[in-house]
Amino acid sequence: MTSDPGLHPLDPLTAAEVAEAARRAKAAPGLSDRVRVVSVELREPDKADYLAWQEGGPSPAREAFCVLLDPARRRGVEAVVPLGGGGAPTATDLPEGVQPAIHIEEFVAVVDAVRADARYLEALRRRGVDPADVHVEPWSSGTFEPGPGRQARAISWVRRDDDGDNPYSRPLHGLTAVVDLDEMRVLRVDDVSPGTPVPSGAGGDYRDGGGRPYRDDVRRIEITQPDGPSFTLTGRHLAWQRWDMRVGFHPREGLVLHDIGYTDGGERRRICHRASIAELVIPYGDPGPTTHFKNVFDIGEYGLGPLTNSLALGCDCLGEIAYLDGVTNSWDGEPHTIPNAICIHEEDANLLWKHTDDHSGRVDRARSRRLVVSSIVTVGNYEYGFFWYFHQDASIEFEGKLTGILHTAGTVADEPSPHSLPLGEGIVTSHHQHFFCARLDLDVDGRANVACDVEAAADPWGPGNPDGSAFRPVRTTYERESQARRLVSPGTARRFRVENRARRNRIGDPVAYELVPGDNVLPMQQPDSQVRERARFLDHHVWVTPYRRDERYPAGEYPNQAPGGDGLPRWTAADRNLVDEDVVLWYVFGAHHFPRLEDWPVMPVARCGFELRPVGFFDRNPALDVPPPTAGHACER
Ligand code: NI
């Protein structure tokens, strides 16, 4: 097979490439005929090779990276498959006990296995539940079960009426099943509360107005761009005003952005080589029998690619939209295309800048507009939106949107639990946290950068501060990795900066971008708890590492059932130099979720994220060249 010469080195694999790579990887010597394909992705070129290619050097070899599972041998396998007529695939067994992520089709098989188990059926019979009505949900099991083998735990609810009913309104209290995924059989059924009645589900329906008529005062709003949108999408290259970038799609991280640059006075300036959300961990804080083990790594244990929604015009996105598809793979290695997996559009974003001159009365202003690149995934009960915004003042914003249905559990307790919110008779929803980890491979005007933080400090009283009101910025430079493990500090406005000391702005400071944290929180689990050991990256909000091609995920390549220690804690133990290095900024941010009654039966979007903005990167406001708005609608001036 030959690669399409029109492909860019960072373009995700095409459907044909996925099929070819999977087929050749499965045929590697030593694998059993039961081998399954967990994921197939582009093996992204090393950055040096990519940059050399941009300078006119040779095209980097196009390769697929496949993760396989050989259940007959209980082994995970990594395979690198050269594409475009390259050599033979190399396949390497993962160490014993290292578990690849769980494939979406494994979940379907778990449901069938659980519903066919005699012990589980007996538990249903004791509750008077028809097996046909049960909604079974497999969850990653962490390290709660002794090995060896690949496992998941199943929790259950009851659906009624029809397939669209909200099953989370009827949890089956105290019933879990532990499943061996290699053999796809139930190892154990735990039923700690066999006599508990099934909740009625009252108030759980969110559809069609939730039992009330729709409000009748919503008039049409239409977004029209009679001249078309201001962006151009050529293949996966996206250009909009001064911005340009490449839009990727990854089986694990979903939406990925590459090679983000901003053209300033005719010069294209690099800002970021790669930006993604590299992990998402949701620890629950309820010690109940069906909740205590819920510490899912949605990205590392499941992978967002196959869970990505196919978006609908006018529903998910409004206006002049361009879409990109995403390609994932089936358990057999067949390509699966998700149409409209990524949405690209422009939005009016209110005010960009304004001033009224009080002498002349002259008003100058610019309206803000932003470019939105987004995708939405459904992980069981929950939806996550991944929204990257590009602004005309050269700032970038990431917004995670959290919506969907609260995860529920049954209860028989007479006393309210401090660990959950009651939603109705026999049903609670547990407190939890959602921790995102952004991996930001910033290249601020090139690769040699240094990171620091800058925060405010009040001057002490003294001759230089006679009024006691003086304050100043204080910077802490991260010369080594051990100095770059930091927490947010909203009280001192601590911001995290990546700067290029070889390039100076007009006052002599290094050009820089800074990360402005949004709302954040600390992990609420004990430091030596299972989830904290497994997600050690939660210990700090900020980490900085020197770029390495294979340092991709904060909890390592294979967090599923892993005891922990891999990823950021392991790499940074070397305490590498960060001065004038190609630094990668890792930002961990938590959406803290004490559920509200208003989050039921479906949750209004909650937001979390951060902003990346230029600080001394330009010599002045870069958005003076945004033309004034033309008067229209109700604007008089
Ligand atoms: Ni939540």
Side-chain angles (χ1 to χ4, degrees), residues 3-9 11 14 53 62 234-236 246:
S3 293
D4 179 346
L7 289 173
H8 182 277
D11 278 347
T14 64
W53 168 78
R62 191 160 172 87
T234 310
R236 302 187 81 99
R246 301 201 65 88

Side-chain angles (χ1 to χ4, degrees), residues 382 432 434 593:
Y382 238 70
H432 59 277
H434 307 251
H593 199 172

